[in-house]
Amino acid sequence: MRTGLRASLAVFAVVLALVASSASAAVFTLEDQNSSAIFDMAGDGQIVWVVDGVDQLFEQSFWWRVGSAGAEAPVTGLDVIGSLASDSNPWSDSRADVLGTLYRDPAQRFEIEVSYKLRGGLLGTKTSDLAETIVIRNLSATSLAFNFFQYVDFDLGGLADDDTVWFSNDNTVVQVSEDMMVTETVVTPVAANRQADYIPVLIDLLTDSDPTTLANNNGPLGPGNVAWAFQWTFDLAPGGTFIISKDKLIVPEPTTMALLGCGLFAGLIRRRR
Ligand SMILES: [Ca+2]
Ligand SMILES: [Ca+2]
Ligand SMILES: [Ca+2]
């Protein structure tokens, strides 16, 4: 009897340990109004962005390379110094809506601080905003030839194969499906290179063993399963800091089409019919 109880307790302890280890695995959920977002800060980065019940995102991840040779590596593969989700607007929605994570190079050459702030629209508006700030600091005594990449794969409306993407200028990218639209604006600084492409071209470039320079393919591309990437290239002086600030906005497509009303939209719509 006691042996049986002991065995049961042992199984229970193993289950508890498994639950505890999965809970500590750096996965965070942010929520605000009609929106929620899930981030695996030691895995694939942002993996969910639900707006009014529909997941719009497959993956958003950051990558780095120091020097002109070798492969890119995911920021989430660096050492995680700390990660914290908290509430920045308790007056309107008391759930956690901001997330900050500090990563450090295992060789101690640099650290990267990533911050997200989620703002949802009211229920049913299909509107949501995610602001992102990335701070890269050179901790070493030598200049670092840094390449920083952002990879973004939205599947708008929960469907992968009906999206069209293009860069409307060097600093702004637009992706649309039948009923949803996302724009990303890099507030500062303008990326050196950018590329729109079909899955899995860009993620293959970031995971292969060669140094990547994005092709400045501005699109439009689609309809299909599309993605985009930005590449910032800069020399980071000893003790220097590089700050990237940008914003993603999801809206229902017709509203924005009416607002923008540009020729490219008209051309796309004609082609899609
Ligand atoms: Ca909140
Ligand atoms: Ca996609
Ligand atoms: Ca590569």
Side-chain angles (χ1 to χ4, degrees), residues 167-186:
F167 289 86
S168 58
N169 60 51
D170 285 354
N171 229 21
T172 308
V173 59
V174 184
Q175 185 168 326
V176 297
S177 69
E178 291 302 318
D179 63 342
M180 297 296 286
M181 170 172 186
V182 60
T183 57
E184 174 165 52
T185 302
V186 180

mmCIF file with all atom_site columns, all heavy atoms in Angstrom, residues 167-186:
data_model
loop_
_atom_site.group_PDB
_atom_site.id
_atom_site.type_symbol
_atom_site.label_atom_id
_atom_site.label_alt_id
_atom_site.label_comp_id
_atom_site.label_asym_id
_atom_site.label_entity_id
_atom_site.label_seq_id
_atom_site.pdbx_PDB_ins_code
_atom_site.Cartn_x
_atom_site.Cartn_y
_atom_site.Cartn_z
_atom_site.occupancy
_atom_site.B_iso_or_equiv
_atom_site.pdbx_formal_charge
_atom_site.auth_seq_id
_atom_site.auth_comp_id
_atom_site.auth_asym_id
_atom_site.auth_atom_id
_atom_site.pdbx_PDB_model_num
ATOM 1   N N   . PHE A 1 167 ? 6.856   46.238 -50.636 1.00 0.00 ? 167 PHE A N   1
ATOM 2   C CA  . PHE A 1 167 ? 7.400   47.380 -49.903 1.00 0.00 ? 167 PHE A CA  1
ATOM 3   C C   . PHE A 1 167 ? 6.910   48.644 -50.604 1.00 0.00 ? 167 PHE A C   1
ATOM 4   O O   . PHE A 1 167 ? 7.198   48.843 -51.782 1.00 0.00 ? 167 PHE A O   1
ATOM 5   C CB  . PHE A 1 167 ? 8.933   47.337 -49.881 1.00 0.00 ? 167 PHE A CB  1
ATOM 6   C CG  . PHE A 1 167 ? 9.477   46.241 -49.003 1.00 0.00 ? 167 PHE A CG  1
ATOM 7   C CD1 . PHE A 1 167 ? 9.652   44.956 -49.497 1.00 0.00 ? 167 PHE A CD1 1
ATOM 8   C CD2 . PHE A 1 167 ? 9.793   46.483 -47.679 1.00 0.00 ? 167 PHE A CD2 1
ATOM 9   C CE1 . PHE A 1 167 ? 10.135  43.932 -48.688 1.00 0.00 ? 167 PHE A CE1 1
ATOM 10  C CE2 . PHE A 1 167 ? 10.279  45.476 -46.861 1.00 0.00 ? 167 PHE A CE2 1
ATOM 11  C CZ  . PHE A 1 167 ? 10.443  44.191 -47.367 1.00 0.00 ? 167 PHE A CZ  1
ATOM 12  N N   . SER A 1 168 ? 6.183   49.489 -49.887 1.00 0.00 ? 168 SER A N   1
ATOM 13  C CA  . SER A 1 168 ? 5.671   50.723 -50.499 1.00 0.00 ? 168 SER A CA  1
ATOM 14  C C   . SER A 1 168 ? 6.755   51.803 -50.515 1.00 0.00 ? 168 SER A C   1
ATOM 15  O O   . SER A 1 168 ? 6.683   52.744 -51.292 1.00 0.00 ? 168 SER A O   1
ATOM 16  C CB  . SER A 1 168 ? 4.420   51.207 -49.773 1.00 0.00 ? 168 SER A CB  1
ATOM 17  O OG  . SER A 1 168 ? 4.681   51.430 -48.407 1.00 0.00 ? 168 SER A OG  1
ATOM 18  N N   . ASN A 1 169 ? 7.748   51.674 -49.641 1.00 0.00 ? 169 ASN A N   1
ATOM 19  C CA  . ASN A 1 169 ? 8.980   52.461 -49.738 1.00 0.00 ? 169 ASN A CA  1
ATOM 20  C C   . ASN A 1 169 ? 10.058  51.710 -48.956 1.00 0.00 ? 169 ASN A C   1
ATOM 21  O O   . ASN A 1 169 ? 9.791   50.625 -48.425 1.00 0.00 ? 169 ASN A O   1
ATOM 22  C CB  . ASN A 1 169 ? 8.780   53.908 -49.236 1.00 0.00 ? 169 ASN A CB  1
ATOM 23  C CG  . ASN A 1 169 ? 8.332   53.963 -47.788 1.00 0.00 ? 169 ASN A CG  1
ATOM 24  O OD1 . ASN A 1 169 ? 8.952   53.344 -46.918 1.00 0.00 ? 169 ASN A OD1 1
ATOM 25  N ND2 . ASN A 1 169 ? 7.259   54.681 -47.520 1.00 0.00 ? 169 ASN A ND2 1
ATOM 26  N N   . ASP A 1 170 ? 11.266  52.277 -48.857 1.00 0.00 ? 170 ASP A N   1
ATOM 27  C CA  . ASP A 1 170 ? 12.364  51.562 -48.196 1.00 0.00 ? 170 ASP A CA  1
ATOM 28  C C   . ASP A 1 170 ? 12.052  51.243 -46.737 1.00 0.00 ? 170 ASP A C   1
ATOM 29  O O   . ASP A 1 170 ? 12.682  50.380 -46.135 1.00 0.00 ? 170 ASP A O   1
ATOM 30  C CB  . ASP A 1 170 ? 13.644  52.406 -48.251 1.00 0.00 ? 170 ASP A CB  1
ATOM 31  C CG  . ASP A 1 170 ? 14.267  52.391 -49.638 1.00 0.00 ? 170 ASP A CG  1
ATOM 32  O OD1 . ASP A 1 170 ? 13.751  51.640 -50.490 1.00 0.00 ? 170 ASP A OD1 1
ATOM 33  O OD2 . ASP A 1 170 ? 15.242  53.117 -49.859 1.00 0.00 ? 170 ASP A OD2 1
ATOM 34  N N   . ASN A 1 171 ? 11.096  51.942 -46.174 1.00 0.00 ? 171 ASN A N   1
ATOM 35  C CA  . ASN A 1 171 ? 10.851  51.889 -44.736 1.00 0.00 ? 171 ASN A CA  1
ATOM 36  C C   . ASN A 1 171 ? 9.515   51.258 -44.359 1.00 0.00 ? 171 ASN A C   1
ATOM 37  O O   . ASN A 1 171 ? 9.216   51.151 -43.176 1.00 0.00 ? 171 ASN A O   1
ATOM 38  C CB  . ASN A 1 171 ? 10.885  53.321 -44.179 1.00 0.00 ? 171 ASN A CB  1
ATOM 39  C CG  . ASN A 1 171 ? 11.769  53.415 -42.980 1.00 0.00 ? 171 ASN A CG  1
ATOM 40  O OD1 . ASN A 1 171 ? 12.626  52.571 -42.778 1.00 0.00 ? 171 ASN A OD1 1
ATOM 41  N ND2 . ASN A 1 171 ? 11.541  54.429 -42.167 1.00 0.00 ? 171 ASN A ND2 1
ATOM 42  N N   . THR A 1 172 ? 8.713   50.904 -45.361 1.00 0.00 ? 172 THR A N   1
ATOM 43  C CA  . THR A 1 172 ? 7.354   50.447 -45.072 1.00 0.00 ? 172 THR A CA  1
ATOM 44  C C   . THR A 1 172 ? 7.007   49.237 -45.921 1.00 0.00 ? 172 THR A C   1
ATOM 45  O O   . THR A 1 172 ? 7.258   49.231 -47.126 1.00 0.00 ? 172 THR A O   1
ATOM 46  C CB  . THR A 1 172 ? 6.327   51.569 -45.362 1.00 0.00 ? 172 THR A CB  1
ATOM 47  O OG1 . THR A 1 172 ? 6.733   52.747 -44.691 1.00 0.00 ? 172 THR A OG1 1
ATOM 48  C CG2 . THR A 1 172 ? 4.941   51.156 -44.887 1.00 0.00 ? 172 THR A CG2 1
ATOM 49  N N   . VAL A 1 173 ? 6.431   48.210 -45.284 1.00 0.00 ? 173 VAL A N   1
ATOM 50  C CA  . VAL A 1 173 ? 6.007   47.020 -46.006 1.00 0.00 ? 173 VAL A CA  1
ATOM 51  C C   . VAL A 1 173 ? 4.528   46.797 -45.732 1.00 0.00 ? 173 VAL A C   1
ATOM 52  O O   . VAL A 1 173 ? 4.023   47.113 -44.649 1.00 0.00 ? 173 VAL A O   1
ATOM 53  C CB  . VAL A 1 173 ? 6.870   45.798 -45.604 1.00 0.00 ? 173 VAL A CB  1
ATOM 54  C CG1 . VAL A 1 173 ? 6.784   45.510 -44.127 1.00 0.00 ? 173 VAL A CG1 1
ATOM 55  C CG2 . VAL A 1 173 ? 6.502   44.568 -46.413 1.00 0.00 ? 173 VAL A CG2 1
ATOM 56  N N   . VAL A 1 174 ? 3.830   46.279 -46.745 1.00 0.00 ? 174 VAL A N   1
ATOM 57  C CA  . VAL A 1 174 ? 2.387   46.071 -46.671 1.00 0.00 ? 174 VAL A CA  1
ATOM 58  C C   . VAL A 1 174 ? 2.090   44.643 -47.083 1.00 0.00 ? 174 VAL A C   1
ATOM 59  O O   . VAL A 1 174 ? 2.653   44.140 -48.055 1.00 0.00 ? 174 VAL A O   1
ATOM 60  C CB  . VAL A 1 174 ? 1.640   47.030 -47.643 1.00 0.00 ? 174 VAL A CB  1
ATOM 61  C CG1 . VAL A 1 174 ? 0.134   46.878 -47.481 1.00 0.00 ? 174 VAL A CG1 1
ATOM 62  C CG2 . VAL A 1 174 ? 2.075   48.463 -47.440 1.00 0.00 ? 174 VAL A CG2 1
ATOM 63  N N   . GLN A 1 175 ? 1.218   43.962 -46.326 1.00 0.00 ? 175 GLN A N   1
ATOM 64  C CA  . GLN A 1 175 ? 0.750   42.637 -46.731 1.00 0.00 ? 175 GLN A CA  1
ATOM 65  C C   . GLN A 1 175 ? -0.765  42.613 -46.591 1.00 0.00 ? 175 GLN A C   1
ATOM 66  O O   . GLN A 1 175 ? -1.313  43.041 -45.567 1.00 0.00 ? 175 GLN A O   1
ATOM 67  C CB  . GLN A 1 175 ? 1.398   41.535 -45.881 1.00 0.00 ? 175 GLN A CB  1
ATOM 68  C CG  . GLN A 1 175 ? 1.022   40.123 -46.354 1.00 0.00 ? 175 GLN A CG  1
ATOM 69  C CD  . GLN A 1 175 ? 1.873   39.046 -45.704 1.00 0.00 ? 175 GLN A CD  1
ATOM 70  O OE1 . GLN A 1 175 ? 3.058   39.242 -45.417 1.00 0.00 ? 175 GLN A OE1 1
ATOM 71  N NE2 . GLN A 1 175 ? 1.277   37.891 -45.458 1.00 0.00 ? 175 GLN A NE2 1
ATOM 72  N N   . VAL A 1 176 ? -1.447  42.104 -47.636 1.00 0.00 ? 176 VAL A N   1
ATOM 73  C CA  . VAL A 1 176 ? -2.913  42.071 -47.617 1.00 0.00 ? 176 VAL A CA  1
ATOM 74  C C   . VAL A 1 176 ? -3.415  40.675 -47.969 1.00 0.00 ? 176 VAL A C   1
ATOM 75  O O   . VAL A 1 176 ? -2.754  39.905 -48.666 1.00 0.00 ? 176 VAL A O   1
ATOM 76  C CB  . VAL A 1 176 ? -3.520  43.081 -48.629 1.00 0.00 ? 176 VAL A CB  1
ATOM 77  C CG1 . VAL A 1 176 ? -3.157  44.508 -48.271 1.00 0.00 ? 176 VAL A CG1 1
ATOM 78  C CG2 . VAL A 1 176 ? -3.086  42.757 -50.042 1.00 0.00 ? 176 VAL A CG2 1
ATOM 79  N N   . SER A 1 177 ? -4.608  40.350 -47.444 1.00 0.00 ? 177 SER A N   1
ATOM 80  C CA  . SER A 1 177 ? -5.352  39.173 -47.901 1.00 0.00 ? 177 SER A CA  1
ATOM 81  C C   . SER A 1 177 ? -6.749  39.660 -48.234 1.00 0.00 ? 177 SER A C   1
ATOM 82  O O   . SER A 1 177 ? -6.964  40.856 -48.401 1.00 0.00 ? 177 SER A O   1
ATOM 83  C CB  . SER A 1 177 ? -5.372  38.099 -46.819 1.00 0.00 ? 177 SER A CB  1
ATOM 84  O OG  . SER A 1 177 ? -6.177  38.519 -45.733 1.00 0.00 ? 177 SER A OG  1
ATOM 85  N N   . GLU A 1 178 ? -7.707  38.737 -48.329 1.00 0.00 ? 178 GLU A N   1
ATOM 86  C CA  . GLU A 1 178 ? -9.050  39.141 -48.742 1.00 0.00 ? 178 GLU A CA  1
ATOM 87  C C   . GLU A 1 178 ? -9.650  40.192 -47.822 1.00 0.00 ? 178 GLU A C   1
ATOM 88  O O   . GLU A 1 178 ? -10.316 41.107 -48.262 1.00 0.00 ? 178 GLU A O   1
ATOM 89  C CB  . GLU A 1 178 ? -9.967  37.908 -48.798 1.00 0.00 ? 178 GLU A CB  1
ATOM 90  C CG  . GLU A 1 178 ? -9.611  36.939 -49.918 1.00 0.00 ? 178 GLU A CG  1
ATOM 91  C CD  . GLU A 1 178 ? -9.663  37.596 -51.289 1.00 0.00 ? 178 GLU A CD  1
ATOM 92  O OE1 . GLU A 1 178 ? -10.599 38.368 -51.539 1.00 0.00 ? 178 GLU A OE1 1
ATOM 93  O OE2 . GLU A 1 178 ? -8.745  37.339 -52.103 1.00 0.00 ? 178 GLU A OE2 1
ATOM 94  N N   . ASP A 1 179 ? -9.437  40.037 -46.511 1.00 0.00 ? 179 ASP A N   1
ATOM 95  C CA  . ASP A 1 179 ? -10.153 40.935 -45.599 1.00 0.00 ? 179 ASP A CA  1
ATOM 96  C C   . ASP A 1 179 ? -9.265  41.610 -44.554 1.00 0.00 ? 179 ASP A C   1
ATOM 97  O O   . ASP A 1 179 ? -9.771  42.366 -43.732 1.00 0.00 ? 179 ASP A O   1
ATOM 98  C CB  . ASP A 1 179 ? -11.280 40.177 -44.891 1.00 0.00 ? 179 ASP A CB  1
ATOM 99  C CG  . ASP A 1 179 ? -10.738 39.053 -44.020 1.00 0.00 ? 179 ASP A CG  1
ATOM 100 O OD1 . ASP A 1 179 ? -9.571  38.659 -44.228 1.00 0.00 ? 179 ASP A OD1 1
ATOM 101 O OD2 . ASP A 1 179 ? -11.459 38.588 -43.127 1.00 0.00 ? 179 ASP A OD2 1
ATOM 102 N N   . MET A 1 180 ? -7.968  41.315 -44.571 1.00 0.00 ? 180 MET A N   1
ATOM 103 C CA  . MET A 1 180 ? -7.093  41.894 -43.551 1.00 0.00 ? 180 MET A CA  1
ATOM 104 C C   . MET A 1 180 ? -5.854  42.499 -44.202 1.00 0.00 ? 180 MET A C   1
ATOM 105 O O   . MET A 1 180 ? -5.465  42.131 -45.307 1.00 0.00 ? 180 MET A O   1
ATOM 106 C CB  . MET A 1 180 ? -6.658  40.838 -42.528 1.00 0.00 ? 180 MET A CB  1
ATOM 107 C CG  . MET A 1 180 ? -7.785  40.226 -41.715 1.00 0.00 ? 180 MET A CG  1
ATOM 108 S SD  . MET A 1 180 ? -8.653  41.413 -40.650 1.00 0.00 ? 180 MET A SD  1
ATOM 109 C CE  . MET A 1 180 ? -7.430  41.665 -39.367 1.00 0.00 ? 180 MET A CE  1
ATOM 110 N N   . MET A 1 181 ? -5.242  43.412 -43.465 1.00 0.00 ? 181 MET A N   1
ATOM 111 C CA  . MET A 1 181 ? -4.042  44.077 -43.968 1.00 0.00 ? 181 MET A CA  1
ATOM 112 C C   . MET A 1 181 ? -3.112  44.360 -42.800 1.00 0.00 ? 181 MET A C   1
ATOM 113 O O   . MET A 1 181 ? -3.550  44.730 -41.715 1.00 0.00 ? 181 MET A O   1
ATOM 114 C CB  . MET A 1 181 ? -4.458  45.396 -44.618 1.00 0.00 ? 181 MET A CB  1
ATOM 115 C CG  . MET A 1 181 ? -3.316  46.318 -44.968 1.00 0.00 ? 181 MET A CG  1
ATOM 116 S SD  . MET A 1 181 ? -3.984  47.690 -45.944 1.00 0.00 ? 181 MET A SD  1
ATOM 117 C CE  . MET A 1 181 ? -2.484  48.511 -46.384 1.00 0.00 ? 181 MET A CE  1
ATOM 118 N N   . VAL A 1 182 ? -1.806  44.165 -43.015 1.00 0.00 ? 182 VAL A N   1
ATOM 119 C CA  . VAL A 1 182 ? -0.820  44.550 -42.002 1.00 0.00 ? 182 VAL A CA  1
ATOM 120 C C   . VAL A 1 182 ? 0.218   45.456 -42.667 1.00 0.00 ? 182 VAL A C   1
ATOM 121 O O   . VAL A 1 182 ? 0.618   45.224 -43.808 1.00 0.00 ? 182 VAL A O   1
ATOM 122 C CB  . VAL A 1 182 ? -0.156  43.316 -41.340 1.00 0.00 ? 182 VAL A CB  1
ATOM 123 C CG1 . VAL A 1 182 ? 0.563   42.445 -42.361 1.00 0.00 ? 182 VAL A CG1 1
ATOM 124 C CG2 . VAL A 1 182 ? 0.797   43.746 -40.227 1.00 0.00 ? 182 VAL A CG2 1
ATOM 125 N N   . THR A 1 183 ? 0.585   46.523 -41.970 1.00 0.00 ? 183 THR A N   1
ATOM 126 C CA  . THR A 1 183 ? 1.688   47.355 -42.435 1.00 0.00 ? 183 THR A CA  1
ATOM 127 C C   . THR A 1 183 ? 2.745   47.386 -41.349 1.00 0.00 ? 183 THR A C   1
ATOM 128 O O   . THR A 1 183 ? 2.429   47.357 -40.161 1.00 0.00 ? 183 THR A O   1
ATOM 129 C CB  . THR A 1 183 ? 1.245   48.804 -42.710 1.00 0.00 ? 183 THR A CB  1
ATOM 130 O OG1 . THR A 1 183 ? 0.659   49.338 -41.522 1.00 0.00 ? 183 THR A OG1 1
ATOM 131 C CG2 . THR A 1 183 ? 0.241   48.880 -43.833 1.00 0.00 ? 183 THR A CG2 1
ATOM 132 N N   . GLU A 1 184 ? 3.998   47.401 -41.771 1.00 0.00 ? 184 GLU A N   1
ATOM 133 C CA  . GLU A 1 184 ? 5.071   47.612 -40.806 1.00 0.00 ? 184 GLU A CA  1
ATOM 134 C C   . GLU A 1 184 ? 5.872   48.824 -41.251 1.00 0.00 ? 184 GLU A C   1
ATOM 135 O O   . GLU A 1 184 ? 6.306   48.918 -42.400 1.00 0.00 ? 184 GLU A O   1
ATOM 136 C CB  . GLU A 1 184 ? 6.004   46.418 -40.681 1.00 0.00 ? 184 GLU A CB  1
ATOM 137 C CG  . GLU A 1 184 ? 7.197   46.761 -39.769 1.00 0.00 ? 184 GLU A CG  1
ATOM 138 C CD  . GLU A 1 184 ? 7.978   45.556 -39.306 1.00 0.00 ? 184 GLU A CD  1
ATOM 139 O OE1 . GLU A 1 184 ? 8.374   44.751 -40.153 1.00 0.00 ? 184 GLU A OE1 1
ATOM 140 O OE2 . GLU A 1 184 ? 8.184   45.438 -38.084 1.00 0.00 ? 184 GLU A OE2 1
ATOM 141 N N   . THR A 1 185 ? 6.056   49.745 -40.331 1.00 0.00 ? 185 THR A N   1
ATOM 142 C CA  . THR A 1 185 ? 6.856   50.931 -40.589 1.00 0.00 ? 185 THR A CA  1
ATOM 143 C C   . THR A 1 185 ? 8.063   50.917 -39.667 1.00 0.00 ? 185 THR A C   1
ATOM 144 O O   . THR A 1 185 ? 7.919   50.751 -38.457 1.00 0.00 ? 185 THR A O   1
ATOM 145 C CB  . THR A 1 185 ? 6.036   52.206 -40.338 1.00 0.00 ? 185 THR A CB  1
ATOM 146 O OG1 . THR A 1 185 ? 4.890   52.172 -41.185 1.00 0.00 ? 185 THR A OG1 1
ATOM 147 C CG2 . THR A 1 185 ? 6.862   53.444 -40.635 1.00 0.00 ? 185 THR A CG2 1
ATOM 148 N N   . VAL A 1 186 ? 9.243   51.063 -40.260 1.00 0.00 ? 186 VAL A N   1
ATOM 149 C CA  . VAL A 1 186 ? 10.449  51.206 -39.454 1.00 0.00 ? 186 VAL A CA  1
ATOM 150 C C   . VAL A 1 186 ? 10.590  52.689 -39.134 1.00 0.00 ? 186 VAL A C   1
ATOM 151 O O   . VAL A 1 186 ? 10.823  53.504 -40.017 1.00 0.00 ? 186 VAL A O   1
ATOM 152 C CB  . VAL A 1 186 ? 11.687  50.685 -40.203 1.00 0.00 ? 186 VAL A CB  1
ATOM 153 C CG1 . VAL A 1 186 ? 12.929  50.851 -39.336 1.00 0.00 ? 186 VAL A CG1 1
ATOM 154 C CG2 . VAL A 1 186 ? 11.490  49.235 -40.602 1.00 0.00 ? 186 VAL A CG2 1
#
